[in-house]
């Protein structure tokens, strides 16, 4: 059993990761500054081999005792959040990753960092394979997230090559499930809360842009497999079933039995027009592929949103 640090532990993915790791008998230290994380996600872990430390990882990270694994998940991740928090987003991706790598080196721990499909920007290659270098506007509004994550990947590889640190990089594609914040601003939380309240569902642009949506349990399973694999190069983890955003809005309205109608809003600048992971590498190296279909994954997600909204 390992002693594991998870940064971003109070976030959507971080909290699911902490839950799975403690289920498997590991001893987990969860760290978060609660900038976009929610303390309620952490409280549900009480009674397990779990401690929470409130800390901003852009500052030096101190952990007492040995560490075997570090999952570095701290970062604003919704476009709305990183537009509101551009400097913090850049700092956690760069300084936060540097501190996490320094800790991994000092403790002899293996470290996995959460990278993103955003490293591919508005992609000119479709679906996206890991050997595609991407199409990112570094001075655009999304550049703060995309470039921070690209820098983080470069820093990880430097620590691996120069210091021999055991590193792993997961490129996470759009993921959904319980514990996404109602006000998160991403498509699924926005559409679900609008549909459940019978309010207008806001599709940006003409809704022809595509995304491929992965249920959280599939994603977390893929990530823990990557951590325990020997793969140092980046690995896409996501669900390759692609749909348009308009189809997603229609599906959510239909499943929730909502009387909402779809309205359109301007497409945000640099919003990727297509996105679909090529998961050939994950299938081959991790023996992993997603199992949960969208309709199946939406059920517990809707139940969670109903509870949060009191509907
Ligand atoms: N989107 C939308 N309406 C919303 C929120 C998002 O049409 O209320 C669109 C957004 O423009 C993008 C897609 O849904 O094309 C997915 O956006 P999200 O914010 O979930 O994350 P992204 O994949 O862009 O990082």
């Amino acid at each position: 059993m390992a002693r594991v640090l998870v940064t971003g532990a109070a976030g959507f993915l971080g909290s699911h990761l902490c839950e799975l790791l403690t289920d498997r008998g590991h001893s987990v230290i969860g760290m978060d500054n609660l900038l976009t994380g929610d303390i309620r996600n952490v409280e549900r872990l009480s009674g397990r081999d779990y401690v929470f430390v409130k800390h901003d990882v852009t500052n030096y990270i101190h952990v007492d005792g040995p560490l075997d694994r570090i999952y570095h998940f701290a970062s604003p991740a919704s476009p709305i959040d990183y537009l509101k928090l551009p400097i913090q987003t850049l700092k956690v991706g760069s300084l936060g990753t540097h501190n996490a790598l320094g800790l991994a080196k000092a403790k002899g721990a293996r470290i996995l960092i959460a990278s993103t499909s955003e490293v591919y920007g508005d992609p000119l290659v479709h679906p996206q394979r890991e050997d595609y270098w991407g199409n990112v506007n570094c001075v655009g509004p999304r550049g703060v997230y995309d470039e921070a994550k690209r820098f983080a990947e470069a820093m990880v590889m430097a620590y691996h090559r120069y210091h021999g640190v055991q590193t792993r990089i997961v490129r996470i594609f759009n993921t959904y499930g319980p514990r996404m914040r109602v006000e998160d601003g991403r498509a699924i939380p926005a559409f679900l809360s609008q549909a459940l309240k019978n309010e207008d569902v806001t599709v940006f642009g003409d809704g022809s842009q595509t995304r491929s949506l992965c249920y959280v349990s599939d994603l977390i399973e893929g990530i823990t497999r990557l951590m325990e694999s020997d793969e140092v190069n980046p690995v896409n983890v996501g669900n390759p079933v692609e749909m348009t955003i308009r189809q997603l809005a229609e599906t959510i309205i239909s499943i929730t039995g909502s009387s909402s109608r779809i309205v359109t809003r301007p497409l945000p600048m640099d919003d990727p027009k297509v996105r679909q992971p090529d998961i050939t590498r994950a299938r081959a190296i991790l023996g992993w592929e997603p199992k949960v279909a969208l309709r199946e994954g939406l059920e517990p997600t809707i139940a969670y949103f109903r509870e949060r909204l009191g509907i």
Side-chain angles (χ1 to χ4, degrees), residues 113-145:
I113 66 146
S115 185
T116 167
S117 54
E118 282 284 326
V119 300
Y120 303 119
D122 188 2
L124 305 176
V125 168
H126 190 67
Q128 291 75 55
R129 286 164 38 124
E130 290 89 348
D131 57 6
Y132 174 48
W133 292 350
N135 178 39
V136 170
N137 175 7
C138 63
V139 292
R142 300 172 86 104
V144 297
Y145 185 66

Side-chain angles (χ1 to χ4, degrees), residues 77-80 82 116-118 142 145 174-175 180 184-191 194 201-205 207 209-211 213 245-246 248-249 263 265-268 270-273 275:
S78 158
I80 291 211
Y82 54 75
T116 167
S117 54
E118 282 284 326
R142 300 172 86 104
Y145 185 66
N174 294 68
T175 305
M180 290 188 100
D184 169 292
R186 279 179 282 195
I188 287 200
F191 294 170
Q194 291 161 344
V201 168
T202 55
V203 165
F204 298 163
Q209 70 273 29
T210 68
R211 294 294 186 273
L213 298 150
I245 288 301
R246 183 170 284 272
L248 175 65
V263 296
R265 296 279 178 268
L267 189 67
D270 296 336
D271 198 288
K273 285 181 272 306
R275 183 179 290 156

Side-chain angles (χ1 to χ4, degrees), residues 56-170:
D56 177 349
V57 296
T58 64
N59 300 314
Y60 182 87
I61 307 168
H62 176 78
V63 173
D64 274 331
L67 268 186
D68 305 299
R69 299 283 185 264
I70 300 173
Y71 288 88
H72 179 44
F73 273 59
S75 178
S78 158
I80 291 211
D81 286 338
Y82 54 75
L83 296 184
K84 265 192 299 206
L85 304 163
I87 317 281
Q88 289 94 329
T89 302
L90 280 159
K91 284 176 71 179
V92 74
S94 54
L95 306 179
T97 302
H98 187 212
N99 289 332
L101 284 162
L103 181 67
K105 176 169 158 267
K107 301 282 185 184
R110 181 180 296 180
I111 179 168
L112 178 149
I113 66 146
S115 185
T116 167
S117 54
E118 282 284 326
V119 300
Y120 303 119
D122 188 2
L124 305 176
V125 168
H126 190 67
Q128 291 75 55
R129 286 164 38 124
E130 290 89 348
D131 57 6
Y132 174 48
W133 292 350
N135 178 39
V136 170
N137 175 7
C138 63
V139 292
R142 300 172 86 104
V144 297
Y145 185 66
D146 303 8
E147 294 297 356
K149 291 293 189 180
R150 289 168 67 96
F151 176 89
E153 289 196 12
M155 184 72 112
V156 163
M157 292 312 291
Y159 266 69
H160 173 69
R161 292 189 181 116
Y162 188 72
H163 288 307
V165 172
Q166 292 185 49
T167 57
R168 306 287 181 264
I169 299 172
V170 61

Side-chain angles (χ1 to χ4, degrees), residues 203-282:
V203 165
F204 298 163
D206 64 4
S208 64
Q209 70 273 29
T210 68
R211 294 294 186 273
S212 310
L213 298 150
C214 188
Y215 187 64
V216 62
S217 59
D218 279 336
L219 186 96
I220 299 297
E221 175 62 32
I223 286 171
T224 56
R225 286 194 196 192
L226 175 59
M227 175 65 107
E228 301 311 324
S229 78
D230 294 328
E231 184 58 49
V232 171
N233 294 305
V235 179
N236 290 337
V237 177
N239 191 319
V241 178
E242 186 183 14
M243 65 184 344
T244 69
I245 288 301
R246 183 170 284 272
Q247 282 171 333
L248 175 65
E250 286 164 353
T251 305
I252 286 180
I253 290 172
S254 141
I255 295 187
T256 53
S258 169
S259 60
S260 294
R261 54 189 194 107
I262 292 177
V263 296
T264 55
R265 296 279 178 268
L267 189 67
M269 187 179 170
D270 296 336
D271 198 288
K273 285 181 272 306
V274 289
R275 183 179 290 156
Q276 183 191 24
D278 180 319
I279 59 165
T280 308
R281 188 176 282 178

